[in-house]
Amino acid sequence: MKTFPVKCSLVTLQLWDTVGQERFRSVTEQYYRKADGILAMYDVTDPASFTAVQAWIGSIKEKMCSGVVLMILGNKLDLSSGEDSAVRAEEGHRLAQHHKALFYQCSAKTGLNLNESMSHMAEYVPL
């Protein structure tokens, strides 16, 4: 759980890692039925991960309620060498635009862009 100041309020985000494996799909769907915001995360060094997140987004959009904030988050930026990344930032941006989602890239290992991305999400979730 992490709390962020938004305008004149505090927003607490509670993050759940629901595992992106197919065998957990039915359990995962229960979590995002009541969510105010959903992160779909992929590994910027793994094109298969990016392909998988696209399928998950389709499933998420079928089940999520209107007004839910969707963020696509490319992780492991610390292992990427920018333009030589297996999944380029432009691809993530295009996917996010297509789904009207927020987009960030980050590194869970180093913390790069984590607070910024979560703070941005906190600005958009319903108060």
Side-chain angles (χ1 to χ4, degrees):
M1 293 178 69
K2 180 103 174 158
T3 301
F4 296 92
V6 175
K7 297 177 185 161
C8 295
S9 301
L10 292 175
V11 174
T12 300
L13 298 180
Q14 185 178 34
L15 302 175
W16 293 77
D17 183 351
T18 60
V19 184
Q21 296 176 18
E22 186 64 35
R23 62 188 170 138
F24 295 109
R25 186 175 294 271
S26 63
V27 173
T28 301
E29 289 175 354
Q30 294 174 30
Y31 285 99
Y32 50 74
R33 282 192 184 121
K34 295 183 180 181
D36 293 320
I38 297 172
L39 295 173
M41 184 180 282
Y42 67 93
D43 177 343
V44 299
T45 68
D46 182 5
S49 172
F50 186 68
T51 300
V53 88
Q54 293 175 61
W56 276 98
I57 290 170
S59 176
I60 288 167
K61 291 193 84 167
E62 287 176 10
K63 305 286 186 206
M64 72 183 206
C65 298
S66 64
V68 172
V69 179
L70 176 61
M71 177 180 283
I72 299 170
L73 194 58
N75 188 30
K76 298 191 180 180
L77 202 53
D78 57 292
L79 299 178
S80 167
S81 55
E83 292 298 313
D84 295 331
S85 178
V87 181
R88 296 182 48 190
E90 293 80 15
E91 295 175 85
H93 277 290
R94 270 195 302 275
L95 181 64
Q97 286 177 335
H98 178 74
H99 291 288
K100 297 178 177 67
L102 303 173
F103 175 74
Y104 273 86
Q105 288 186 314
C106 70
S107 168
K109 181 177 181 179
T110 68
L112 178 68
N113 287 340
L114 281 180
N115 277 336
E116 295 84 354
S117 60
M118 295 303 101
S119 179
H120 196 179
M121 178 170 254
E123 292 175 18
Y124 285 91
V125 295
L127 297 176

